[in-house]
Amino acid sequence: EVQVVESGGGLVLPGGSLRLSCVASGFSFSGYWVTWARQAPGKGLEWVASTNEDGRVKQYVDSVKGRFTISRDNAMNSVFLQMSSLRAEDTAVYYCVSEYKSGHWGQGSLVTVSS
Amino acid sequence: QAVVTQEPSLTVSPGGTVTLTCGFSTGAVTSGHNPYWFQQKPGQAPRTLIYDTTNKYSWTPARFSGSLLGGKGALTLTGAQPEDEADYYCFLLFGAARVFGGGTKLTVL
């Protein structure tokens, strides 16, 4: 069975850090670009970051550049999002999705930034 | 970063046909933007319906199709079903960067 599972979300103080993990099973992440997207409460989807198949190419939305880092470990079939200097406006459900012929989404991980 | 535009809302009758579009603020959407389409129902994670303009997945209902239409990406639903009521998002690639459209709320009524 194909599954994508995100974890690592939670409540964090403004200025704090969190590391999200995304683990795939039933298929290999290694052949695909993987994207992190987020959805604030009641809002649409927003692209956050993407990385290519071997992790050498990384790109970020302007609002998270310098604060978030995407990485991957193909041996562990995993992609990560290290988030630092978190702000209230980063509060959202964070999803990872494999692109192209894969097209699999996780169920999301809620990140709440609040004092 | 680029602004990707979609109709905020559309309504289709059961059994009817509707086309959702995906525009780009400063030019035409082309196959080079590799348009994707996602469906999201309330309380659920999104799921991918279309990739690279026209390609479907094994789980994509046959009544959905993707295309380019008049300089925009397009998702056409032919023979709408009540279960197709959802939010639909397009997604364009700009090299390594990506952008989601604002989403279309589709009502089947």
Side-chain angles (χ1 to χ4, degrees), chain A residues 33 39 44-45 47 50 59-62 95 99-103 105-106, chain B residues 1 36 38 40 45-48 51-52 57 59 89 96-98 100:
Chain A
W33 280 71
Q39 188 167 37
L45 294 168
W47 172 68
S50 297
Q59 190 61 274
Y60 304 89
V61 68
D62 286 347
Y95 296 100
E99 296 184 4
Y100 194 48
K101 294 183 180 180
S102 175
W105 287 75
Chain B
Q1 275 149 337
Y36 286 69
F38 305 111
Q40 187 179 34
R47 70 166 179 168
T48 316
Y51 70 98
D52 280 4
Y57 297 91
W59 57 80
Y89 295 90
R98 281 97 169 94
F100 283 98

PDB file of all heavy atoms in Angstrom, chain A residues 33 39 44-45 47 50 59-62 95 99-103 105-106, chain B residues 1 36 38 40 45-48 51-52 57 59 89 96-98 100:
ATOM      1  N   TRP A  33      10.857  14.729  -7.835  1.00  0.00           N
ATOM      2  CA  TRP A  33      10.868  15.955  -7.062  1.00  0.00           C
ATOM      3  C   TRP A  33       9.850  15.798  -5.938  1.00  0.00           C
ATOM      4  O   TRP A  33       8.800  15.171  -6.111  1.00  0.00           O
ATOM      5  CB  TRP A  33      10.452  17.129  -7.924  1.00  0.00           C
ATOM      6  CG  TRP A  33      11.518  17.670  -8.814  1.00  0.00           C
ATOM      7  CD1 TRP A  33      12.053  17.081  -9.922  1.00  0.00           C
ATOM      8  CD2 TRP A  33      12.171  18.943  -8.690  1.00  0.00           C
ATOM      9  NE1 TRP A  33      12.991  17.908 -10.489  1.00  0.00           N
ATOM     10  CE2 TRP A  33      13.090  19.057  -9.761  1.00  0.00           C
ATOM     11  CE3 TRP A  33      12.058  20.009  -7.784  1.00  0.00           C
ATOM     12  CZ2 TRP A  33      13.893  20.183  -9.935  1.00  0.00           C
ATOM     13  CZ3 TRP A  33      12.854  21.132  -7.968  1.00  0.00           C
ATOM     14  CH2 TRP A  33      13.751  21.207  -9.030  1.00  0.00           C
ATOM     15  N   GLN A  39      -1.131  24.998   4.135  1.00  0.00           N
ATOM     16  CA  GLN A  39      -2.475  25.543   4.021  1.00  0.00           C
ATOM     17  C   GLN A  39      -2.859  26.142   5.379  1.00  0.00           C
ATOM     18  O   GLN A  39      -3.068  25.401   6.341  1.00  0.00           O
ATOM     19  CB  GLN A  39      -3.468  24.464   3.606  1.00  0.00           C
ATOM     20  CG  GLN A  39      -4.842  24.972   3.270  1.00  0.00           C
ATOM     21  CD  GLN A  39      -5.686  23.907   2.578  1.00  0.00           C
ATOM     22  OE1 GLN A  39      -5.618  22.725   2.889  1.00  0.00           O
ATOM     23  NE2 GLN A  39      -6.495  24.341   1.605  1.00  0.00           N
ATOM     24  N   GLY A  44      -6.146  28.859   0.957  1.00  0.00           N
ATOM     25  CA  GLY A  44      -5.740  27.968  -0.115  1.00  0.00           C
ATOM     26  C   GLY A  44      -4.362  27.381   0.117  1.00  0.00           C
ATOM     27  O   GLY A  44      -3.694  27.651   1.116  1.00  0.00           O
ATOM     28  N   LEU A  45      -3.949  26.562  -0.839  1.00  0.00           N
ATOM     29  CA  LEU A  45      -2.638  25.938  -0.769  1.00  0.00           C
ATOM     30  C   LEU A  45      -1.552  26.944  -1.134  1.00  0.00           C
ATOM     31  O   LEU A  45      -1.725  27.766  -2.034  1.00  0.00           O
ATOM     32  CB  LEU A  45      -2.572  24.747  -1.720  1.00  0.00           C
ATOM     33  CG  LEU A  45      -3.486  23.573  -1.373  1.00  0.00           C
ATOM     34  CD1 LEU A  45      -3.541  22.583  -2.536  1.00  0.00           C
ATOM     35  CD2 LEU A  45      -3.002  22.880  -0.109  1.00  0.00           C
ATOM     36  N   TRP A  47       2.680  27.002  -1.982  1.00  0.00           N
ATOM     37  CA  TRP A  47       3.946  26.311  -2.170  1.00  0.00           C
ATOM     38  C   TRP A  47       4.973  26.858  -1.192  1.00  0.00           C
ATOM     39  O   TRP A  47       5.083  28.075  -1.010  1.00  0.00           O
ATOM     40  CB  TRP A  47       4.440  26.504  -3.605  1.00  0.00           C
ATOM     41  CG  TRP A  47       5.812  25.994  -3.836  1.00  0.00           C
ATOM     42  CD1 TRP A  47       6.216  24.681  -3.817  1.00  0.00           C
ATOM     43  CD2 TRP A  47       6.987  26.752  -4.110  1.00  0.00           C
ATOM     44  NE1 TRP A  47       7.562  24.596  -4.069  1.00  0.00           N
ATOM     45  CE2 TRP A  47       8.064  25.855  -4.256  1.00  0.00           C
ATOM     46  CE3 TRP A  47       7.243  28.124  -4.250  1.00  0.00           C
ATOM     47  CZ2 TRP A  47       9.365  26.260  -4.537  1.00  0.00           C
ATOM     48  CZ3 TRP A  47       8.534  28.548  -4.525  1.00  0.00           C
ATOM     49  CH2 TRP A  47       9.581  27.615  -4.664  1.00  0.00           C
ATOM     50  N   SER A  50      10.712  23.049  -2.663  1.00  0.00           N
ATOM     51  CA  SER A  50      10.814  21.821  -3.461  1.00  0.00           C
ATOM     52  C   SER A  50      12.267  21.407  -3.580  1.00  0.00           C
ATOM     53  O   SER A  50      13.171  22.255  -3.526  1.00  0.00           O
ATOM     54  CB  SER A  50      10.245  22.031  -4.864  1.00  0.00           C
ATOM     55  OG  SER A  50       8.874  22.333  -4.837  1.00  0.00           O
ATOM     56  N   GLN A  59      14.531  24.931  -3.853  1.00  0.00           N
ATOM     57  CA  GLN A  59      13.958  26.238  -4.116  1.00  0.00           C
ATOM     58  C   GLN A  59      12.889  26.516  -3.085  1.00  0.00           C
ATOM     59  O   GLN A  59      12.223  25.590  -2.600  1.00  0.00           O
ATOM     60  CB  GLN A  59      13.370  26.296  -5.532  1.00  0.00           C
ATOM     61  CG  GLN A  59      12.949  27.675  -6.009  1.00  0.00           C
ATOM     62  CD  GLN A  59      14.087  28.657  -6.062  1.00  0.00           C
ATOM     63  OE1 GLN A  59      14.408  29.313  -5.056  1.00  0.00           O
ATOM     64  NE2 GLN A  59      14.705  28.770  -7.212  1.00  0.00           N
ATOM     65  N   TYR A  60      12.726  27.808  -2.748  1.00  0.00           N
ATOM     66  CA  TYR A  60      11.843  28.201  -1.651  1.00  0.00           C
ATOM     67  C   TYR A  60      10.978  29.387  -2.060  1.00  0.00           C
ATOM     68  O   TYR A  60      11.408  30.242  -2.850  1.00  0.00           O
ATOM     69  CB  TYR A  60      12.660  28.600  -0.419  1.00  0.00           C
ATOM     70  CG  TYR A  60      13.619  27.551   0.069  1.00  0.00           C
ATOM     71  CD1 TYR A  60      14.916  27.484  -0.419  1.00  0.00           C
ATOM     72  CD2 TYR A  60      13.224  26.619   1.026  1.00  0.00           C
ATOM     73  CE1 TYR A  60      15.795  26.510   0.020  1.00  0.00           C
ATOM     74  CE2 TYR A  60      14.096  25.647   1.484  1.00  0.00           C
ATOM     75  CZ  TYR A  60      15.380  25.599   0.973  1.00  0.00           C
ATOM     76  OH  TYR A  60      16.249  24.636   1.411  1.00  0.00           O
ATOM     77  N   VAL A  61       9.801  29.475  -1.476  1.00  0.00           N
ATOM     78  CA  VAL A  61       9.008  30.683  -1.617  1.00  0.00           C
ATOM     79  C   VAL A  61       9.737  31.802  -0.866  1.00  0.00           C
ATOM     80  O   VAL A  61      10.433  31.553   0.137  1.00  0.00           O
ATOM     81  CB  VAL A  61       7.571  30.478  -1.079  1.00  0.00           C
ATOM     82  CG1 VAL A  61       7.554  30.298   0.426  1.00  0.00           C
ATOM     83  CG2 VAL A  61       6.660  31.612  -1.516  1.00  0.00           C
ATOM     84  N   ASP A  62       9.624  33.035  -1.352  1.00  0.00           N
ATOM     85  CA  ASP A  62      10.381  34.142  -0.770  1.00  0.00           C
ATOM     86  C   ASP A  62      10.166  34.288   0.732  1.00  0.00           C
ATOM     87  O   ASP A  62      11.101  34.599   1.478  1.00  0.00           O
ATOM     88  CB  ASP A  62      10.000  35.455  -1.466  1.00  0.00           C
ATOM     89  CG  ASP A  62      10.586  35.575  -2.863  1.00  0.00           C
ATOM     90  OD1 ASP A  62      11.476  34.767  -3.215  1.00  0.00           O
ATOM     91  OD2 ASP A  62      10.142  36.473  -3.609  1.00  0.00           O
ATOM     92  N   TYR A  95       1.957  19.905   4.120  1.00  0.00           N
ATOM     93  CA  TYR A  95       1.846  18.666   3.351  1.00  0.00           C
ATOM     94  C   TYR A  95       3.111  18.443   2.539  1.00  0.00           C
ATOM     95  O   TYR A  95       3.712  19.407   2.040  1.00  0.00           O
ATOM     96  CB  TYR A  95       0.702  18.757   2.338  1.00  0.00           C
ATOM     97  CG  TYR A  95      -0.688  18.907   2.885  1.00  0.00           C
ATOM     98  CD1 TYR A  95      -1.313  20.152   2.933  1.00  0.00           C
ATOM     99  CD2 TYR A  95      -1.413  17.794   3.315  1.00  0.00           C
ATOM    100  CE1 TYR A  95      -2.605  20.298   3.399  1.00  0.00           C
ATOM    101  CE2 TYR A  95      -2.710  17.927   3.784  1.00  0.00           C
ATOM    102  CZ  TYR A  95      -3.291  19.175   3.825  1.00  0.00           C
ATOM    103  OH  TYR A  95      -4.585  19.306   4.289  1.00  0.00           O
ATOM    104  N   GLU A  99       5.980  14.535  -6.927  1.00  0.00           N
ATOM    105  CA  GLU A  99       5.473  15.099  -8.175  1.00  0.00           C
ATOM    106  C   GLU A  99       5.487  14.095  -9.325  1.00  0.00           C
ATOM    107  O   GLU A  99       5.783  12.920  -9.147  1.00  0.00           O
ATOM    108  CB  GLU A  99       6.320  16.317  -8.537  1.00  0.00           C
ATOM    109  CG  GLU A  99       6.207  17.451  -7.535  1.00  0.00           C
ATOM    110  CD  GLU A  99       6.970  18.684  -7.971  1.00  0.00           C
ATOM    111  OE1 GLU A  99       7.526  18.704  -9.084  1.00  0.00           O
ATOM    112  OE2 GLU A  99       7.011  19.661  -7.194  1.00  0.00           O
ATOM    113  N   TYR A 100       5.082  14.571 -10.464  1.00  0.00           N
ATOM    114  CA  TYR A 100       5.121  13.867 -11.736  1.00  0.00           C
ATOM    115  C   TYR A 100       4.290  12.586 -11.695  1.00  0.00           C
ATOM    116  O   TYR A 100       3.138  12.639 -11.215  1.00  0.00           O
ATOM    117  CB  TYR A 100       6.585  13.623 -12.126  1.00  0.00           C
ATOM    118  CG  TYR A 100       6.803  13.203 -13.565  1.00  0.00           C
ATOM    119  CD1 TYR A 100       6.189  13.887 -14.623  1.00  0.00           C
ATOM    120  CD2 TYR A 100       7.643  12.145 -13.880  1.00  0.00           C
ATOM    121  CE1 TYR A 100       6.394  13.495 -15.933  1.00  0.00           C
ATOM    122  CE2 TYR A 100       7.864  11.756 -15.182  1.00  0.00           C
ATOM    123  CZ  TYR A 100       7.242  12.424 -16.206  1.00  0.00           C
ATOM    124  OH  TYR A 100       7.433  12.041 -17.500  1.00  0.00           O
ATOM    125  N   LYS A 101       4.811  11.478 -12.118  1.00  0.00           N
ATOM    126  CA  LYS A 101       3.997  10.272 -12.241  1.00  0.00           C
ATOM    127  C   LYS A 101       3.610   9.687 -10.886  1.00  0.00           C
ATOM    128  O   LYS A 101       2.760   8.797 -10.823  1.00  0.00           O
ATOM    129  CB  LYS A 101       4.748   9.213 -13.039  1.00  0.00           C
ATOM    130  CG  LYS A 101       4.969   9.597 -14.492  1.00  0.00           C
ATOM    131  CD  LYS A 101       5.657   8.483 -15.253  1.00  0.00           C
ATOM    132  CE  LYS A 101       5.875   8.871 -16.710  1.00  0.00           C
ATOM    133  NZ  LYS A 101       6.542   7.788 -17.469  1.00  0.00           N
ATOM    134  N   SER A 102       4.194  10.186  -9.809  1.00  0.00           N
ATOM    135  CA  SER A 102       3.888   9.660  -8.487  1.00  0.00           C
ATOM    136  C   SER A 102       2.616  10.300  -7.941  1.00  0.00           C
ATOM    137  O   SER A 102       1.616   9.620  -7.741  1.00  0.00           O
ATOM    138  CB  SER A 102       5.067   9.891  -7.549  1.00  0.00           C
ATOM    139  OG  SER A 102       4.742   9.496  -6.244  1.00  0.00           O
ATOM    140  N   GLY A 103       2.667  11.600  -7.674  1.00  0.00           N
ATOM    141  CA  GLY A 103       1.458  12.340  -7.326  1.00  0.00           C
ATOM    142  C   GLY A 103       0.852  12.045  -5.974  1.00  0.00           C
ATOM    143  O   GLY A 103      -0.332  12.283  -5.764  1.00  0.00           O
ATOM    144  N   TRP A 105       0.179  12.498  -1.963  1.00  0.00           N
ATOM    145  CA  TRP A 105       0.158  13.471  -0.875  1.00  0.00           C
ATOM    146  C   TRP A 105       0.117  12.765   0.475  1.00  0.00           C
ATOM    147  O   TRP A 105      -0.485  11.695   0.599  1.00  0.00           O
ATOM    148  CB  TRP A 105      -1.096  14.345  -0.966  1.00  0.00           C
ATOM    149  CG  TRP A 105      -1.107  15.343  -2.059  1.00  0.00           C
ATOM    150  CD1 TRP A 105      -1.301  15.092  -3.393  1.00  0.00           C
ATOM    151  CD2 TRP A 105      -0.946  16.755  -1.928  1.00  0.00           C
ATOM    152  NE1 TRP A 105      -1.267  16.270  -4.095  1.00  0.00           N
ATOM    153  CE2 TRP A 105      -1.054  17.301  -3.231  1.00  0.00           C
ATOM    154  CE3 TRP A 105      -0.720  17.617  -0.847  1.00  0.00           C
ATOM    155  CZ2 TRP A 105      -0.934  18.682  -3.470  1.00  0.00           C
ATOM    156  CZ3 TRP A 105      -0.606  18.976  -1.094  1.00  0.00           C
ATOM    157  CH2 TRP A 105      -0.715  19.498  -2.385  1.00  0.00           C
ATOM    158  N   GLY A 106       0.709  13.390   1.464  1.00  0.00           N
ATOM    159  CA  GLY A 106       0.510  12.958   2.829  1.00  0.00           C
ATOM    160  C   GLY A 106      -0.777  13.537   3.395  1.00  0.00           C
ATOM    161  O   GLY A 106      -1.459  14.321   2.727  1.00  0.00           O
TER     162      GLY A 106
ATOM    163  N   GLN B   1       7.318  36.598  -6.961  1.00  0.00           N
ATOM    164  CA  GLN B   1       6.977  35.350  -7.625  1.00  0.00           C
ATOM    165  C   GLN B   1       5.668  35.477  -8.404  1.00  0.00           C
ATOM    166  O   GLN B   1       4.864  36.366  -8.145  1.00  0.00           O
ATOM    167  CB  GLN B   1       6.913  34.216  -6.605  1.00  0.00           C
ATOM    168  CG  GLN B   1       8.287  33.621  -6.351  1.00  0.00           C
ATOM    169  CD  GLN B   1       8.527  33.074  -4.957  1.00  0.00           C
ATOM    170  OE1 GLN B   1       7.894  33.441  -3.985  1.00  0.00           O
ATOM    171  NE2 GLN B   1       9.521  32.200  -4.850  1.00  0.00           N
ATOM    172  N   TYR B  36      -0.344  21.115 -13.214  1.00  0.00           N
ATOM    173  CA  TYR B  36      -0.951  20.080 -12.392  1.00  0.00           C
ATOM    174  C   TYR B  36      -2.330  20.586 -11.942  1.00  0.00           C
ATOM    175  O   TYR B  36      -2.546  21.791 -11.811  1.00  0.00           O
ATOM    176  CB  TYR B  36      -0.138  19.815 -11.118  1.00  0.00           C
ATOM    177  CG  TYR B  36       1.147  19.057 -11.281  1.00  0.00           C
ATOM    178  CD1 TYR B  36       2.247  19.605 -11.928  1.00  0.00           C
ATOM    179  CD2 TYR B  36       1.282  17.781 -10.740  1.00  0.00           C
ATOM    180  CE1 TYR B  36       3.444  18.917 -12.044  1.00  0.00           C
ATOM    181  CE2 TYR B  36       2.483  17.077 -10.842  1.00  0.00           C
ATOM    182  CZ  TYR B  36       3.558  17.651 -11.493  1.00  0.00           C
ATOM    183  OH  TYR B  36       4.733  16.962 -11.604  1.00  0.00           O
ATOM    184  N   PHE B  38      -5.140  19.679  -8.713  1.00  0.00           N
ATOM    185  CA  PHE B  38      -5.393  18.963  -7.469  1.00  0.00           C
ATOM    186  C   PHE B  38      -6.845  19.190  -7.055  1.00  0.00           C
ATOM    187  O   PHE B  38      -7.405  20.259  -7.283  1.00  0.00           O
ATOM    188  CB  PHE B  38      -4.491  19.476  -6.353  1.00  0.00           C
ATOM    189  CG  PHE B  38      -3.026  19.451  -6.680  1.00  0.00           C
ATOM    190  CD1 PHE B  38      -2.322  20.625  -6.871  1.00  0.00           C
ATOM    191  CD2 PHE B  38      -2.351  18.255  -6.791  1.00  0.00           C
ATOM    192  CE1 PHE B  38      -0.971  20.620  -7.168  1.00  0.00           C
ATOM    193  CE2 PHE B  38      -0.997  18.224  -7.088  1.00  0.00           C
ATOM    194  CZ  PHE B  38      -0.305  19.408  -7.280  1.00  0.00           C
ATOM    195  N   GLN B  40      -9.401  18.999  -3.644  1.00  0.00           N
ATOM    196  CA  GLN B  40      -9.423  18.913  -2.195  1.00  0.00           C
ATOM    197  C   GLN B  40     -10.859  19.024  -1.689  1.00  0.00           C
ATOM    198  O   GLN B  40     -11.533  20.019  -1.954  1.00  0.00           O
ATOM    199  CB  GLN B  40      -8.568  19.996  -1.549  1.00  0.00           C
ATOM    200  CG  GLN B  40      -8.437  19.825  -0.042  1.00  0.00           C
ATOM    201  CD  GLN B  40      -7.558  20.881   0.604  1.00  0.00           C
ATOM    202  OE1 GLN B  40      -7.520  22.029   0.181  1.00  0.00           O
ATOM    203  NE2 GLN B  40      -6.833  20.496   1.647  1.00  0.00           N
ATOM    204  N   ALA B  45      -6.920  15.857   2.807  1.00  0.00           N
ATOM    205  CA  ALA B  45      -5.730  16.289   2.083  1.00  0.00           C
ATOM    206  C   ALA B  45      -6.048  16.376   0.593  1.00  0.00           C
ATOM    207  O   ALA B  45      -6.963  15.707   0.102  1.00  0.00           O
ATOM    208  CB  ALA B  45      -4.597  15.297   2.316  1.00  0.00           C
ATOM    209  N   PRO B  46      -5.312  17.199  -0.124  1.00  0.00           N
ATOM    210  CA  PRO B  46      -5.509  17.246  -1.576  1.00  0.00           C
ATOM    211  C   PRO B  46      -5.118  15.918  -2.210  1.00  0.00           C
ATOM    212  O   PRO B  46      -4.408  15.103  -1.607  1.00  0.00           O
ATOM    213  CB  PRO B  46      -4.545  18.350  -2.027  1.00  0.00           C
ATOM    214  CG  PRO B  46      -4.235  19.131  -0.801  1.00  0.00           C
ATOM    215  CD  PRO B  46      -4.299  18.168   0.334  1.00  0.00           C
ATOM    216  N   ARG B  47      -5.591  15.698  -3.429  1.00  0.00           N
ATOM    217  CA  ARG B  47      -5.097  14.594  -4.237  1.00  0.00           C
ATOM    218  C   ARG B  47      -4.858  15.110  -5.642  1.00  0.00           C
ATOM    219  O   ARG B  47      -5.543  16.016  -6.122  1.00  0.00           O
ATOM    220  CB  ARG B  47      -6.053  13.406  -4.237  1.00  0.00           C
ATOM    221  CG  ARG B  47      -7.351  13.596  -4.988  1.00  0.00           C
ATOM    222  CD  ARG B  47      -8.042  12.253  -5.205  1.00  0.00           C
ATOM    223  NE  ARG B  47      -9.306  12.413  -5.914  1.00  0.00           N
ATOM    224  CZ  ARG B  47      -9.999  11.406  -6.444  1.00  0.00           C
ATOM    225  NH1 ARG B  47      -9.544  10.153  -6.350  1.00  0.00           N
ATOM    226  NH2 ARG B  47     -11.143  11.629  -7.053  1.00  0.00           N
ATOM    227  N   THR B  48      -3.867  14.530  -6.280  1.00  0.00           N
ATOM    228  CA  THR B  48      -3.485  14.976  -7.620  1.00  0.00           C
ATOM    229  C   THR B  48      -4.362  14.294  -8.652  1.00  0.00           C
ATOM    230  O   THR B  48      -4.501  13.072  -8.640  1.00  0.00           O
ATOM    231  CB  THR B  48      -2.009  14.657  -7.890  1.00  0.00           C
ATOM    232  OG1 THR B  48      -1.218  14.992  -6.742  1.00  0.00           O
ATOM    233  CG2 THR B  48      -1.502  15.440  -9.085  1.00  0.00           C
ATOM    234  N   TYR B  51      -1.232  15.647 -14.157  1.00  0.00           N
ATOM    235  CA  TYR B  51       0.124  16.185 -14.169  1.00  0.00           C
ATOM    236  C   TYR B  51       0.562  16.429 -15.607  1.00  0.00           C
ATOM    237  O   TYR B  51       0.039  15.816 -16.541  1.00  0.00           O
ATOM    238  CB  TYR B  51       1.108  15.260 -13.437  1.00  0.00           C
ATOM    239  CG  TYR B  51       1.405  13.944 -14.144  1.00  0.00           C
ATOM    240  CD1 TYR B  51       2.552  13.795 -14.915  1.00  0.00           C
ATOM    241  CD2 TYR B  51       0.540  12.852 -14.021  1.00  0.00           C
ATOM    242  CE1 TYR B  51       2.833  12.606 -15.554  1.00  0.00           C
ATOM    243  CE2 TYR B  51       0.820  11.661 -14.655  1.00  0.00           C
ATOM    244  CZ  TYR B  51       1.965  11.528 -15.414  1.00  0.00           C
ATOM    245  OH  TYR B  51       2.242  10.345 -16.053  1.00  0.00           O
ATOM    246  N   ASP B  52       1.508  17.359 -15.765  1.00  0.00           N
ATOM    247  CA  ASP B  52       2.045  17.676 -17.088  1.00  0.00           C
ATOM    248  C   ASP B  52       0.937  17.902 -18.114  1.00  0.00           C
ATOM    249  O   ASP B  52       0.908  17.253 -19.170  1.00  0.00           O
ATOM    250  CB  ASP B  52       2.996  16.577 -17.558  1.00  0.00           C
ATOM    251  CG  ASP B  52       4.371  16.711 -16.945  1.00  0.00           C
ATOM    252  OD1 ASP B  52       4.550  17.606 -16.103  1.00  0.00           O
ATOM    253  OD2 ASP B  52       5.256  15.916 -17.295  1.00  0.00           O
ATOM    254  N   TYR B  57      -3.748   9.916 -13.448  1.00  0.00           N
ATOM    255  CA  TYR B  57      -3.292   8.832 -12.596  1.00  0.00           C
ATOM    256  C   TYR B  57      -4.331   7.709 -12.633  1.00  0.00           C
ATOM    257  O   TYR B  57      -5.442   7.884 -13.133  1.00  0.00           O
ATOM    258  CB  TYR B  57      -3.112   9.332 -11.161  1.00  0.00           C
ATOM    259  CG  TYR B  57      -2.054  10.398 -11.031  1.00  0.00           C
ATOM    260  CD1 TYR B  57      -2.388  11.743 -11.142  1.00  0.00           C
ATOM    261  CD2 TYR B  57      -0.723  10.068 -10.810  1.00  0.00           C
ATOM    262  CE1 TYR B  57      -1.431  12.730 -11.041  1.00  0.00           C
ATOM    263  CE2 TYR B  57       0.256  11.053 -10.701  1.00  0.00           C
ATOM    264  CZ  TYR B  57      -0.110  12.374 -10.818  1.00  0.00           C
ATOM    265  OH  TYR B  57       0.843  13.343 -10.719  1.00  0.00           O
ATOM    266  N   TRP B  59      -6.048   6.712 -10.331  1.00  0.00           N
ATOM    267  CA  TRP B  59      -7.206   7.075  -9.515  1.00  0.00           C
ATOM    268  C   TRP B  59      -8.014   8.244 -10.076  1.00  0.00           C
ATOM    269  O   TRP B  59      -9.030   8.613  -9.494  1.00  0.00           O
ATOM    270  CB  TRP B  59      -6.755   7.410  -8.091  1.00  0.00           C
ATOM    271  CG  TRP B  59      -5.730   8.504  -8.021  1.00  0.00           C
ATOM    272  CD1 TRP B  59      -5.943   9.860  -8.091  1.00  0.00           C
ATOM    273  CD2 TRP B  59      -4.319   8.334  -7.896  1.00  0.00           C
ATOM    274  NE1 TRP B  59      -4.764  10.538  -8.011  1.00  0.00           N
ATOM    275  CE2 TRP B  59      -3.734   9.636  -7.883  1.00  0.00           C
ATOM    276  CE3 TRP B  59      -3.483   7.225  -7.775  1.00  0.00           C
ATOM    277  CZ2 TRP B  59      -2.366   9.833  -7.763  1.00  0.00           C
ATOM    278  CZ3 TRP B  59      -2.121   7.421  -7.650  1.00  0.00           C
ATOM    279  CH2 TRP B  59      -1.575   8.710  -7.648  1.00  0.00           C
ATOM    280  N   TYR B  89      -7.257  23.137  -7.322  1.00  0.00           N
ATOM    281  CA  TYR B  89      -6.097  24.011  -7.406  1.00  0.00           C
ATOM    282  C   TYR B  89      -5.237  23.618  -8.599  1.00  0.00           C
ATOM    283  O   TYR B  89      -4.979  22.427  -8.827  1.00  0.00           O
ATOM    284  CB  TYR B  89      -5.229  23.887  -6.141  1.00  0.00           C
ATOM    285  CG  TYR B  89      -5.901  24.359  -4.875  1.00  0.00           C
ATOM    286  CD1 TYR B  89      -6.639  23.475  -4.090  1.00  0.00           C
ATOM    287  CD2 TYR B  89      -5.807  25.693  -4.468  1.00  0.00           C
ATOM    288  CE1 TYR B  89      -7.267  23.907  -2.925  1.00  0.00           C
ATOM    289  CE2 TYR B  89      -6.429  26.120  -3.305  1.00  0.00           C
ATOM    290  CZ  TYR B  89      -7.151  25.228  -2.543  1.00  0.00           C
ATOM    291  OH  TYR B  89      -7.765  25.657  -1.397  1.00  0.00           O
ATOM    292  N   ALA B  96      12.738  25.553 -10.987  1.00  0.00           N
ATOM    293  CA  ALA B  96      12.693  24.863  -9.703  1.00  0.00           C
ATOM    294  C   ALA B  96      11.611  25.424  -8.783  1.00  0.00           C
ATOM    295  O   ALA B  96      11.283  24.798  -7.774  1.00  0.00           O
ATOM    296  CB  ALA B  96      14.054  24.969  -9.007  1.00  0.00           C
ATOM    297  N   ALA B  97      11.083  26.574  -9.102  1.00  0.00           N
ATOM    298  CA  ALA B  97      10.032  27.175  -8.276  1.00  0.00           C
ATOM    299  C   ALA B  97       8.665  26.674  -8.722  1.00  0.00           C
ATOM    300  O   ALA B  97       8.488  26.208  -9.842  1.00  0.00           O
ATOM    301  CB  ALA B  97      10.087  28.696  -8.379  1.00  0.00           C
ATOM    302  N   ARG B  98       7.726  26.749  -7.841  1.00  0.00           N
ATOM    303  CA  ARG B  98       6.346  26.333  -8.113  1.00  0.00           C
ATOM    304  C   ARG B  98       5.398  27.384  -7.563  1.00  0.00           C
ATOM    305  O   ARG B  98       5.734  28.140  -6.643  1.00  0.00           O
ATOM    306  CB  ARG B  98       6.043  24.982  -7.419  1.00  0.00           C
ATOM    307  CG  ARG B  98       6.594  23.774  -8.160  1.00  0.00           C
ATOM    308  CD  ARG B  98       7.955  23.322  -7.592  1.00  0.00           C
ATOM    309  NE  ARG B  98       8.344  22.030  -8.116  1.00  0.00           N
ATOM    310  CZ  ARG B  98       9.136  21.859  -9.189  1.00  0.00           C
ATOM    311  NH1 ARG B  98       9.627  22.908  -9.808  1.00  0.00           N
ATOM    312  NH2 ARG B  98       9.426  20.631  -9.612  1.00  0.00           N
ATOM    313  N   PHE B 100       1.039  27.735  -6.647  1.00  0.00           N
ATOM    314  CA  PHE B 100      -0.349  27.272  -6.691  1.00  0.00           C
ATOM    315  C   PHE B 100      -1.239  28.418  -7.150  1.00  0.00           C
ATOM    316  O   PHE B 100      -0.997  29.588  -6.817  1.00  0.00           O
ATOM    317  CB  PHE B 100      -0.843  26.858  -5.303  1.00  0.00           C
ATOM    318  CG  PHE B 100      -0.359  25.521  -4.822  1.00  0.00           C
ATOM    319  CD1 PHE B 100       0.730  25.432  -3.969  1.00  0.00           C
ATOM    320  CD2 PHE B 100      -1.013  24.354  -5.197  1.00  0.00           C
ATOM    321  CE1 PHE B 100       1.173  24.208  -3.507  1.00  0.00           C
ATOM    322  CE2 PHE B 100      -0.587  23.131  -4.742  1.00  0.00           C
ATOM    323  CZ  PHE B 100       0.515  23.045  -3.895  1.00  0.00           C
TER     324      PHE B 100
END
